[in-house]
């Protein structure tokens, strides 16, 4: 049981950082980005090929992050930026359409370029574990959780302490009033979309260590969106605890019902929580 | 200082402003009065380009601004308090004021501006750590004005300040407008509360159905039969 819970918590941390990118975009501009999972997998490929070229996956994170940031900016410029004129419901619906198309596009291009084979990044330290209190902690999972925590604290610092971060928060609360403060709203949207795609670089590496193929992005997106809903739409600070919660639920399910029912139990609990708390578990502390 | 010439604004096929020309000189308080739906807010929103003009020109200190985005207009020196206050509800009072000093030139003078705002509105200092959305309407309106002052601009646009506030709070707000003006800030305000407005404004324009139908010194307008019967109820 203890060992299952440990794995559950590590999975949950991963879900949490996947959800962060989705929640950030939704919180700021009311876009649902279905292609976030595909961006993660793109990052996994980048990390994989850089590893083949001799670069350690942890060392290459900044490179992958920069690449994803630019990809996010480019995609926003040609597609999502056109939705900014719509009221919220129009933004949600149209962004779903655009990002669904984008997901199919990225996944197909990835299949054409790199075939549908499953791959994984396998550095020398990939199987190592640390023993503590009779439990085994995989080294890579520990690093993953540490990265997640660092990421969340740096995002919080960025949003609450820097002028640009504060302007993002202002835009998310009232973009028209923000423009009257001298904030360039369109640029804020552009850069924050870039940042949210850039956040895919952390889960990208850790999914890279597991295994990935061009079409698994949507499965990870599904985990992410469940966590975002559990946390309460638009609430970026509830995302990490909600991710851990889903991880624990799945772990308990593995222990009680067996591994095949992991996904099902997670979704059933999700539905029950949505019925009981339609606004999520951590409402009222939005961006 | 601020000059609007032959401005037309359309919402789709519906034209709401027709050939509107107004001017605000340095140091003045100029008012735009008129009934609900006359197009007053549309004019003030067109100046900061929250709505796009269909024709005409707007210039500020000789620089054309009708083709510039809102944030550029603000950085050129025009601040605006929008209708409905539009404070950032989930930020604290202090965070709202800090974001008001977002412009690079305002950041340097942030502390100075902050103490000036706290001087004008002592209540904002007492409430500085309160969540802004939880304050009363009057306090939120003060915050909205304070936030606009933080930019350190010399021209202030005020849209329907008195809407939904108690008479006592309105009186206080109008006193503050005069105080801000005496500090050298030019003011263009849009108001439905005509008696109070004419008392503090140097000049006023009267708008009906999207057209300026008359303008003059406030004292003259207060004497005009049309203004007296239509807006003052005398």
């Amino acid at each position: 049981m203890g060992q299952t819970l440990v794995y559950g918590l590590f999975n949950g941390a991963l879900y949490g950082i996947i959800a962060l990118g989705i929640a950030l975009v939704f919180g700021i501009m009311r876009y649902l980005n279905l292609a976030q999972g595909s961006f993660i997998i793109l990052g996994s490929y980048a990390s994989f090929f850089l590893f083949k070229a001799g670069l350690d996956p942890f060392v290459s994170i900044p490179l992958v992050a920069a690449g994803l940031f630019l990809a996010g900016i480019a995609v926003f410029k040609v597609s999502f930026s056109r939705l900014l004129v719509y009221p919220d419901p129009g933004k949600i619906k149209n962004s779903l359409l655009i990002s669904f198309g984008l997901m199919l596009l990225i996944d197909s291009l990835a299949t054409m370029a790199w075939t549908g084979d499953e791959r994984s990044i396998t550095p020398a330290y990939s199987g190592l574990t640390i023993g503590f209190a009779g439990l085994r902690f995989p080294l890579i999972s520990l690093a993953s959780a540490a990265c997640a925590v660092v990421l969340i604290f740096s995002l919080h610092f960025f949003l609450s302490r820097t002028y640009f971060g504060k302007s993002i928060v202002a835009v998310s609360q009232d973009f028209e009033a923000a423009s009257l403060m001298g904030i360039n709203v369109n640029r804020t949207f552009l850069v924050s979309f870039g940042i949210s795609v850039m956040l895919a670089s952390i889960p990208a590496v850790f999914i890279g260590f597991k295994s990935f193929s061009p079409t698994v992005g949507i499965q990870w997106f599904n985990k992410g969106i469940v966590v975002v809903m559990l946390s309460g739409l638009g609430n970026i600070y509830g995302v990490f605890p909600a991710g851990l919660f889903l991880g624990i639920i799945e772990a308990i399910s593995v222990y009680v019902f067996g591994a095949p029912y992991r996904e099902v139990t997670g979704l059933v609990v999700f539905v029950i929580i949505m019925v009981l708390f339609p606004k999520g578990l951590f409402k009222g502390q939005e961006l | 200082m601020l000059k609007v010439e032959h401005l037309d604004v359309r919402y789709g096929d519906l034209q709401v402003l027709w050939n509107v020309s107004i001017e605000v000189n340095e140091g003045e308080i100029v008012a735009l009065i008129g009934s609900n739906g006359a197009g007053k807010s549309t004019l003030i929103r067109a100046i900061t380009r929250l709505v796009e003009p269909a024709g005409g020109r707007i210039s500020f200190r000789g620089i054309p601004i009708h083709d510039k985005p809102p944030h550029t207009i603000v950085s050129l020196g025009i601040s605006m308090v929008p209708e409905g206050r539009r404070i950032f509800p989930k930020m604290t009072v202090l965070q709202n004021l800090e974001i008001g000093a977002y412009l690079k030139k305002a950041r340097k003078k942030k502390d100075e501006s902050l103490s000036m705002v706290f001087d004008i509105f002592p209540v904002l200092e007492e409430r500085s750590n309160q969540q802004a959305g939880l304050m009363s309407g009057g306090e939120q309106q003060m915050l909205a004005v304070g936030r606009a002052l933080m930019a350190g601009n010399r021209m202030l646009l005020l849209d329907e300040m008195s809407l939904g506030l108690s008479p006592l709070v309105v009186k206080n707000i109008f006193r503050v407008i005069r105080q801000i003006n005496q500090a050298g800030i030019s003011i263009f305000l849009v108001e439905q509360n005509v008696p109070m407005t004419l008392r503090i404004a140097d000049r006023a324009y009267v708008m009906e159905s999207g057209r300026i139908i008359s303008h003059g010194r406030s004292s003259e307008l207060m004497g005009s039969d049309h203004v007296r019967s239509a807006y003052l109820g005398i």
Side-chain angles (χ1 to χ4, degrees):
Chain A
M1 177 72 196
Q3 190 60 50
T4 322
L5 267 181
V6 167
Y7 287 133
L9 278 172
F10 284 136
N11 275 335
L14 179 58
Y15 300 159
I17 41 176
I18 293 171
L20 203 56
I22 303 167
L24 191 67
V25 167
F26 189 85
I28 296 167
M29 53 196 106
R30 297 290 179 272
Y31 288 176
L32 266 175
N33 180 16
L34 285 178
Q36 184 73 8
S38 303
F39 282 119
I40 293 175
I41 299 306
L42 270 187
S44 301
Y45 274 103
S47 188
F48 176 81
F49 288 117
L50 287 169
F51 173 66
K52 289 276 169 201
L55 217 53
D56 185 90
F58 285 98
V59 177
S60 68
I61 285 179
L63 276 177
V64 175
L68 284 172
F69 179 78
L70 293 177
I73 296 261
V75 162
F76 189 86
K77 278 242 173 194
V78 299
S79 56
F80 290 104
S81 61
R82 282 147 223 269
L83 305 181
L84 290 172
V85 293
Y86 293 106
D88 282 359
K91 283 184 188 171
I92 295 173
K93 288 177 205 154
N94 285 300
S95 64
L96 278 171
L97 288 173
I98 288 185
S99 60
F100 186 66
L102 189 64
M103 181 190 83
L104 294 178
L105 186 72
I106 295 176
D107 291 1
S108 316
L109 288 177
T111 311
M112 283 166 67
W114 304 309
T115 76
D117 294 350
E118 275 204 5
R119 303 179 194 236
S120 78
I121 306 171
T122 48
Y125 50 79
S126 61
L128 298 183
T129 57
I130 295 172
F132 179 75
L135 300 169
R136 277 173 296 119
F137 294 86
L139 213 55
I140 282 176
S141 300
L142 279 174
S144 153
C147 280
V149 171
V150 169
L151 191 65
I152 281 165
F153 278 102
S154 30
L155 190 67
H156 176 71
F157 179 84
F158 169 68
L159 289 176
S160 61
R161 292 281 181 277
T162 67
Y163 262 101
F164 191 72
K166 286 180 198 172
S167 78
I168 290 180
V169 178
V171 167
S172 77
Q173 291 186 16
D174 188 334
F175 67 87
E176 201 171 88
S179 73
L180 291 174
M181 304 298 110
I183 294 167
N184 184 341
V185 172
N186 286 338
R187 197 191 58 172
T188 306
F189 281 137
L190 175 72
V191 175
S192 43
F193 192 85
I195 290 173
S196 80
V197 173
M198 186 175 84
L199 292 180
S201 59
I202 306 284
V205 175
F206 296 105
I207 290 168
F209 286 132
K210 293 171 182 282
S211 80
F212 61 95
S213 68
T215 48
V216 297
I218 189 69
Q219 295 169 23
W220 293 106
F221 172 83
N222 285 343
K223 296 288 185 195
I225 193 70
V226 163
V227 168
V228 169
M229 301 295 291
L230 281 176
S231 149
L233 269 173
N235 171 5
I236 66 160
Y237 296 118
V239 154
F240 196 64
L244 294 180
F245 175 78
L246 182 63
I248 293 170
I249 294 290
E250 288 188 356
I252 293 173
S253 151
V254 167
Y255 189 76
V256 178
F257 306 115
Y261 297 100
R262 193 178 80 164
E263 315 283 321
V264 178
T265 317
L267 289 173
V268 167
V269 170
F270 166 64
V271 169
I272 292 171
I273 287 176
M274 281 296 105
V275 171
L276 295 178
F277 310 100
K279 290 191 160 174
L281 296 171
F282 308 101
K283 64 179 165 113
Q285 4 169 332
E286 288 167 27
L287 199 64
Chain B
M1 194 177 194
L2 175 69
K3 208 167 183 177
V4 177
E5 293 162 288
H6 312 295
L7 186 76
D8 292 324
V9 173
R10 290 193 189 89
Y11 291 135
D13 289 336
L14 181 72
Q15 182 155 2
V16 288
L17 290 187
W18 306 75
N19 195 23
V20 170
S21 298
I22 63 145
E23 196 176 350
V24 182
N25 300 314
E26 187 107 43
E28 272 189 315
I29 300 183
V30 175
L32 178 67
I33 57 178
S35 57
N36 222 341
K40 306 188 299 295
S41 287
T42 302
L43 171 57
I44 212 165
R45 288 167 64 82
I47 294 173
T48 46
R49 213 170 189 273
L50 296 176
V51 299
E52 207 171 312
R57 27 177 297 130
I58 306 172
S59 60
F60 181 68
R61 296 196 156 126
I63 306 164
I65 58 168
H66 49 270
D67 54 353
K68 296 192 166 58
H71 64 269
T72 308
I73 294 172
V74 176
S75 72
L76 284 172
I78 302 180
S79 282
M80 169 169 164
V81 179
E83 182 178 350
R85 307 183 275 271
R86 307 288 287 272
I87 50 153
F88 301 111
K90 285 165 197 142
M91 293 187 191
T92 66
V93 169
L94 192 61
Q95 285 168 334
N96 264 278
L97 293 172
E98 279 174 343
I99 208 84
Y102 180 79
L103 290 174
K104 286 221 164 60
K105 58 171 183 173
R107 286 179 205 180
K108 289 180 212 125
K109 293 189 294 180
K110 196 177 83 178
D111 295 334
E112 201 181 311
S113 311
L114 202 59
S115 62
M116 177 192 74
V117 169
F118 285 158
D119 239 24
I120 302 174
F121 303 111
V123 64
L124 294 183
E125 188 164 19
E126 290 161 29
R127 298 281 159 92
S128 54
N129 289 318
Q130 185 167 348
Q131 195 184 327
L134 301 177
M135 297 198 302
S136 75
E139 287 163 345
Q140 288 188 17
Q141 186 68 69
M142 293 175 202
L143 177 57
V145 177
R147 187 182 61 176
L149 290 174
M150 291 296 290
N153 285 335
R154 309 298 286 166
M155 169 103 228
L156 192 57
L157 311 178
L158 306 171
D159 194 1
E160 301 282 15
M161 299 267 292
S162 66
L163 216 61
L165 300 179
S166 76
L168 197 69
V169 175
V170 172
K171 211 173 160 183
N172 193 19
I173 293 263
F174 274 95
R175 187 181 53 74
V176 165
I177 294 174
R178 191 176 258 165
Q179 189 183 343
I180 292 167
N181 177 248
Q182 276 158 2
I185 295 172
S186 315
I187 288 173
F188 179 60
L189 78 157
V190 158
E191 261 301 335
Q192 286 190 58
N193 188 335
V194 177
M196 289 287 267
T197 305
L198 289 183
R199 219 171 294 155
I200 64 158
D202 300 307
R203 292 186 299 118
Y205 293 83
V206 184
M207 182 175 264
E208 273 174 25
S209 320
R211 293 178 175 82
I212 300 289
I213 57 150
S214 71
H215 78 276
R217 304 206 64 80
S218 297
S219 49
E220 291 163 23
L221 287 173
M222 255 191 282
S224 118
D225 288 341
H226 177 71
V227 170
R228 284 165 72 94
S229 64
Y231 302 108
L232 299 175
I234 308 171

